[in-house]
Amino acid sequence: MTYVGEYSNYPMEKMIDWINANTKNNSIFAGTMPTMANLKLSTGRAIVVHPHYEHGKIRRRVKLVYTMFSRKPLRYVHSILKQYNVDYYVYESHWCTITNRPKGCSFPEMYDLDEDDQRILKRTTLACQTLQSHPEPYFKKLFNYDFLSIY
């Protein structure tokens, strides 16, 4: 079988160019696993969400970083990222609005299962939605291209 063509992800290329030009080599990044794998490979920057998901400690860290897609307040997500000394958060808008999952499989629904605080469960706004509309004082948008942003 022969494949003809090439892979292209122009927004990712623009983001990687921006990272290489505007961040220090020892900067630490957080975001989704697929994007962090590309970022690590293409920039050599440190990442806190690593694609070697079979490691228990990394799974727990992923769950914490992914609270960006939960109903938790943005200040809570910010405190988690600071705990891991994250300098930059790579945000992909389409992860916040994924709706093609079976009932019970969306990020908010999965986080709701672990949530004991009824005030959090009553929230209709996700942390990622707040990040898009009112990121400050916890985040500041530094880069934006298509669906990718860096805070």
Side-chain angles (χ1 to χ4, degrees):
M1 182 177 253
T2 304
Y3 294 98
V4 176
E6 66 181 55
Y7 171 77
S8 179
N9 184 338
Y10 194 66
M12 184 76 67
E13 292 174 32
K14 295 292 284 183
M15 180 191 74
I16 288 168
D17 288 344
W18 185 88
I19 290 170
N20 283 328
N22 295 284
T23 67
K24 296 177 182 176
N25 289 338
N26 63 349
S27 298
I28 301 172
F29 286 79
T32 62
M33 280 194 294
T35 299
M36 292 301 97
N38 281 320
L39 190 149
K40 176 72 173 166
L41 178 66
S42 300
T43 69
R45 303 304 194 270
I47 57 174
V48 296
V49 176
H50 198 277
H52 288 128
Y53 195 65
E54 65 274 5
H55 190 280
K57 185 177 178 181
I58 294 174
R59 279 195 306 275
R60 286 186 292 281
R61 191 181 319 157
V62 168
K63 185 176 180 184
L64 287 171
V65 171
Y66 276 36
T67 57
M68 181 63 79
F69 309 108
S70 74
R71 299 178 200 286
K72 296 273 192 193
L74 200 53
R75 72 179 175 279
Y76 177 82
V77 178
H78 182 261
S79 70
I80 289 170
L81 298 176
K82 286 298 158 196
Q83 175 185 333
Y84 290 107
N85 299 310
V86 170
D87 298 304
Y88 300 96
Y89 180 80
V90 178
Y91 174 71
E92 298 166 85
S93 59
H94 56 273
W95 279 71
C96 190
T97 57
I98 294 174
T99 58
N100 61 347
R101 307 256 184 209
K103 182 147 178 62
C105 293
S106 71
F107 283 120
E109 291 170 314
M110 289 186 284
Y111 280 97
D112 288 352
L113 293 174
D114 285 344
E115 186 58 61
D116 293 328
D117 188 337
Q118 292 300 311
R119 294 170 299 176
I120 301 287
L121 291 171
K122 290 179 183 176
R123 291 176 55 110
T124 57
T125 305
L126 305 176
C128 56
Q129 293 168 322
T130 304
L131 181 70
Q132 290 179 95
S133 61
H134 298 92
E136 294 183 5
Y138 304 104
F139 295 89
K140 180 180 178 183
K141 190 180 287 187
L142 303 170
F143 169 85
N144 186 66
Y145 189 87
D146 199 6
F147 62 89
L148 286 168
S149 300
I150 297 178
Y151 291 87

